[in-house]
Amino acid sequence: MRPSGREPNQMRAVTIKRHVAQKAEGSCLVSFGNTKVLVTASVETSIPGWLRGKGQGWVTAEYGMLPRATGTRTRREATAGKQSGRTQEIQRLIGRSLRAVVDLTLLGENQVVLDCDVLEADGGTRTASITGAYVALADAIKWMDERKLTKGAALKDSVGAVSCGIYRGTPLLDLDYLEDVEAHTDANFVMTGSGQFVEIQGTAEGAPFSRAELESLMALAEKGIGELTQIQQAALQS
């Protein structure tokens, strides 16, 4: 039995609420159960120096956790003067995941920055961030389209992410915190709406895992991201 009482292949309740930050070109509040992430998309008419003159745009991301996103207060990284390695790794993952579904040549020489701020953390903050960031990005690109800043349909596909793991010998979909800290295999899957893989991160926390176990986690991820894709599209059509 999972601590939450869910079935092994059952996602937490997932919600995506758009337009929560009125001044941003795109925004949403995404919830995976008790994990809540505020995502804003900002359109900038400047691009990194190394891209100037190449006739393409850029999509990047920043990620952070608010001090009381966890059970005890975590010091703001800004006060420490540097980001942790974990933060840098997650925001790079978010950026890579979004760029995988964008034709950068059609963005013009513009940049979209996705800010993912974790309000509450209960496992799966990076996967919730990616899933919500796609919705915020879609709204930002629509905003650009309306102002003729793009050169065509820049979004090629949707993208979502989910965590899976082996908890007490059983493969599970969408780990919450209690499952994540005890799981002896932990994996994150990023996939497009058309079913292609963008990234797979898998780690054996205790005993090594077999190919059969990896395939069972992959099947769970495909199911979960299929459900997330439907939720994303429903949110964008609402």
Side-chain angles (χ1 to χ4, degrees), residues 14-22 26-31 37-39 132 135-136 139 231 235-236 238:
V14 177
T15 61
I16 300 176
K17 182 179 180 181
R18 293 163 63 214
H19 307 313
V20 295
Q22 296 301 315
S27 66
C28 73
L29 177 64
V30 57
S31 301
V37 183
L38 171 65
V39 185
V135 173
D139 276 334
I231 294 169
L236 288 168
S238 64

Side-chain angles (χ1 to χ4, degrees), residues 16-191:
I16 300 176
K17 182 179 180 181
R18 293 163 63 214
H19 307 313
V20 295
Q22 296 301 315
K23 296 180 180 179
E25 286 73 45
S27 66
C28 73
L29 177 64
V30 57
S31 301
F32 278 39
N34 291 327
T35 290
K36 296 178 175 61
V37 183
L38 171 65
V39 185
T40 57
S42 302
V43 177
E44 300 179 347
T45 55
S46 61
I47 55 175
W50 54 273
L51 275 178
R52 288 176 191 154
K54 295 187 177 180
Q56 71 171 72
W58 191 243
V59 177
T60 188
E62 294 188 10
Y63 167 95
M65 294 181 65
L66 295 188
R68 280 315 304 265
T70 55
T72 57
R73 184 181 186 277
T74 302
R75 187 183 182 194
R76 294 180 189 272
E77 292 185 340
T79 63
K82 63 178 181 179
Q83 292 180 315
S84 69
R86 175 183 181 274
T87 294
Q88 294 180 51
E89 184 265 324
I90 291 176
Q91 61 190 27
R92 288 169 182 160
L93 169 65
I94 298 169
R96 287 196 304 272
S97 300
L98 297 172
R99 288 193 295 273
V101 296
V102 177
D103 187 335
L104 298 175
T105 64
L106 298 180
L107 280 185
E109 291 199 352
N110 302 294
Q111 178 172 236
V112 184
V113 181
L114 283 302
D115 287 291
C116 303
D117 293 294
V118 180
L119 308 181
E120 291 190 44
D122 186 33
T125 60
R126 73 185 67 195
T127 56
S129 295
I130 292 168
T131 303
Y134 166 74
V135 173
L137 175 64
D139 276 334
I141 290 179
K142 180 181 178 182
W143 183 92
M144 295 172 70
D145 290 340
E146 292 169 348
R147 287 155 182 81
K148 302 188 185 305
L149 296 175
T150 55
K151 300 177 181 179
L155 270 182
K156 300 182 292 185
D157 204 340
S158 64
V159 66
V162 73
S163 65
C164 298
I166 299 176
Y167 171 81
R168 298 183 180 179
T170 302
L172 301 181
L173 173 65
D174 188 24
L175 303 182
D176 57 31
Y177 176 75
L178 291 177
E179 295 164 342
D180 187 43
V181 295
E182 194 176 325
H184 67 260
T185 297
D186 182 18
N188 297 299
F189 295 85
V190 184
M191 295 179 65

